[in-house]
Amino acid sequence: DAGITQSPRHKVTETGTPVTLRCHQTENHRYMYWYRQDPGHGLRLIHYSYGVKDTDKGEVSDGYSVSRSKTEDFLLTLESATSSQTSVYFCAISGEGHYEQYFGPGTRLTVT
Amino acid sequence: AQSVTQPDIHITVSEGASLELRCNYSYGATPYLFWYVQSPGQGLQLLLKYFSGDTLVQGIKGFEAEFKRSQSSFNLRKPSVHWSDAAEYFCAVGGATDMRFGAGTRLTVKP
């Protein structure tokens, strides 16, 4: 299994509060991704990173920001959480020239 | 824009029966295609991938998939399903920065 961890694994927060999710990899892969998974939608890309300090938006980026200050860490921040951001969030990684992605265990976020 | 359609939301098969999960895609260039499996409460695990070459690809756990360019399809098959195959299956298409996933097919296996 690829070395990917996510923290926290579960979080309940209130509307309007900031939330940061962390993804950590031990594979030294170039690409890192944040997805959200919702019933009937599969996985949708939020943001991705193609190197330290290099990030770009995905399909559903509104309300989210990301940062990558080290190769191994990719942070997802919800500046002001809303109930529509209740979801399961997955981090994934991919190596240079390899298009398959490897996924972390997920973070279940509930915004009340 | 690329997209993936998995027409079957839920499929039930008997243990030992054959399985085919359908996947249709739309992609502007030569597609990179994938199948993933997700057990409840888990992340996604890569079953197999197609980049080029032989259109029939073998994966883990006895699964295979066939790429048919003329039909824009990449269907997943298994000749004999085991109870442990019960899970959700996702088809995906794309490259390093534009991966798109289908909505998933949930597989139930009857004893």
Side-chain angles (χ1 to χ4, degrees), chain B residues 59-76:
Chain B
I60 63 172
K61 305 185 180 189
F63 285 93
E64 66 178 26
E66 186 172 13
F67 170 59
K68 293 185 177 180
R69 185 185 298 275
S70 61
Q71 298 178 19
S72 297
S73 70
F74 188 56
N75 293 349
L76 182 72

Side-chain angles (χ1 to χ4, degrees), chain B residues 9-65:
Chain B
I9 296 173
H10 183 206
I11 284 182
T12 299
V13 299
S14 297
E15 191 168 14
S18 63
L19 171 70
E20 182 169 25
L21 302 182
R22 295 183 291 163
C23 173
N24 294 99
Y25 68 89
S26 171
Y27 196 70
T30 300
Y32 300 112
L33 293 156
F34 309 86
W35 275 99
Y36 288 87
V37 61
Q38 182 182 34
S39 298
Q42 305 294 314
L44 278 71
Q45 180 183 19
L46 180 69
L47 280 176
L48 49 77
K49 61 189 178 187
Y50 172 79
F51 290 170
S52 65
D54 193 345
T55 56
L56 184 64
V57 294
Q58 303 297 320
I60 63 172
K61 305 185 180 189
F63 285 93
E64 66 178 26

